[in-house]
Amino acid sequence: QVQLVESGGGLVQTGGSLRLSCAASGRTFSLYAMAWFRQAPGKVREFVAIITWSAGNTDYADSVKGRFTISRDYARNSVYLQMNSLIPEDTAVYFCAAREGDYAEYDYWGQGTQVTVSS
C-alpha cells in the first residue's frame, strides 16, 4: 500500500502562483508514475500532469502547458506541482494519484487540496 498526502493549496489572485506537494509513504518502491488531477465544482475530475517515477518523463493537459510544472524528489518520495499564471478556471480540488504500472487506472489517491483563484 501507498499513502499520499497533499499540501500547499490555498487562495491566490489571478496571475499568482502556488506550489502543491504530495508526499508518498509505504511501498513507494513499487511506484511507476505519479500524477495530479483536479475537480472543479459540478465538473468531472480531469487530468493535469504526470511524471514517471524513475525516468522523470512528464506530460501535461493542454490547459496547463506552459504554466504548470510537475517535478519529483526521489529521495523525499515527493511530487510537486508548481502552478504559475493562475486563472479562475484553475479553481478546483487538486488530487495526487499514483500507479504501480504502465496502465490507465490509478491505484492510490490522496484526499485533495483546495486551490481557489480569485478574479
Side-chain angles (χ1 to χ4, degrees):
Q1 290 291 324
V2 174
Q3 295 77 41
L4 303 174
V5 179
E6 304 99 333
S7 61
L11 173 64
V12 64
Q13 292 185 332
T14 296
S17 297
L18 280 175
R19 186 189 192 217
L20 305 183
S21 300
C22 175
S25 60
R27 290 171 46 94
T28 57
F29 61 85
S30 67
L31 293 178
Y32 173 80
M34 293 184 70
W36 289 96
F37 287 76
R38 67 186 182 185
Q39 187 167 17
K43 295 188 176 181
V44 299
R45 186 156 53 190
E46 64 175 359
F47 165 78
V48 175
I50 186 172
I51 187 165
T52 56
W53 194 238
S54 294
N57 298 322
T58 61
D59 196 14
Y60 299 89
D62 288 343
S63 59
V64 307
K65 279 181 182 177
R67 300 189 299 122
F68 291 11
T69 302
I70 188 170
S71 62
R72 63 152 173 29
D73 185 329
Y74 205 79
R76 299 189 178 193
N77 291 326
S78 293
V79 171
Y80 307 98
L81 187 68
Q82 178 66 43
M83 306 186 294
N84 299 328
S85 302
L86 285 160
I87 57 178
E89 289 76 14
D90 295 319
T91 295
V93 178
Y94 284 71
F95 297 90
C96 178
R99 50 186 166 96
E100 295 181 342
D102 188 11
Y103 41 71
E105 297 298 318
Y106 284 79
D107 302 295
Y108 309 104
W109 291 87
Q111 292 186 329
T113 184
Q114 176 70 47
V115 171
T116 303
V117 184
S118 64
S119 57

